[in-house]
Amino acid sequence: MGSLFYGSSERPIEIPDRVLAHVKVVIATKLRRGESFTMSWRHPSGEAAGRSTIWIQPSIPLRFVFGAVEPEMLDPALLQTYANSANSSSGLTVDLETRDVIATPVDAS
């Protein structure tokens, strides 16, 4: 399980490593271009019901922490889906329950 530390919050957003690897690429790409957007997710089972949204912009600190030592393999189709979502008016929507997102691997390093 990975963690996304957002802003000054000491409590991370817990995201499966495979999903976090894809989210990291999409966020880094958008921020490199100076583009801000929202990221939303439904609270996973075991947490209070509901959903959360954060505003991602270049001036807000982010830190990605992965549980696995080796980088995850990326699925180009999922990257494209997430990129399209991040570019939409509703922003990036992430499924935290996704476990097996790899179809056609690409090295994430």
Side-chain angles (χ1 to χ4, degrees):
M1 183 63 75
S3 299
L4 172 63
F5 289 86
Y6 177 73
S8 61
S9 175
E10 293 182 17
R11 184 172 177 249
I13 302 161
E14 300 217 347
I15 303 175
D17 276 359
R18 289 182 179 162
V19 175
L20 186 59
H22 292 78
V23 167
K24 178 186 129 189
V25 170
V26 171
I27 289 176
T29 300
K30 296 281 286 176
L31 293 181
R32 192 174 322 141
R33 295 176 182 157
E35 299 173 3
S36 301
F37 61 101
T38 60
M39 182 175 105
S40 303
W41 63 94
R42 288 182 185 207
H43 298 170
S45 55
E47 288 187 12
R51 58 190 163 84
S52 293
T53 299
I54 56 175
W55 178 248
I56 307 281
Q57 68 166 341
S59 66
I60 298 174
L62 291 171
R63 183 166 55 107
F64 302 88
V65 178
F66 294 89
V69 174
E70 296 299 319
E72 295 289 332
M73 299 300 280
L74 299 175
D75 176 349
L78 183 61
L79 278 175
Q80 189 62 55
T81 297
Y82 279 2
N84 290 343
S85 178
N87 289 326
S88 72
S89 59
S90 59
L92 174 59
T93 301
V94 179
D95 180 1
L96 300 184
E97 301 292 334
T98 300
R99 295 289 183 238
D100 298 313
V101 296
I102 296 177
T104 309
V106 173
D107 191 348
S109 37

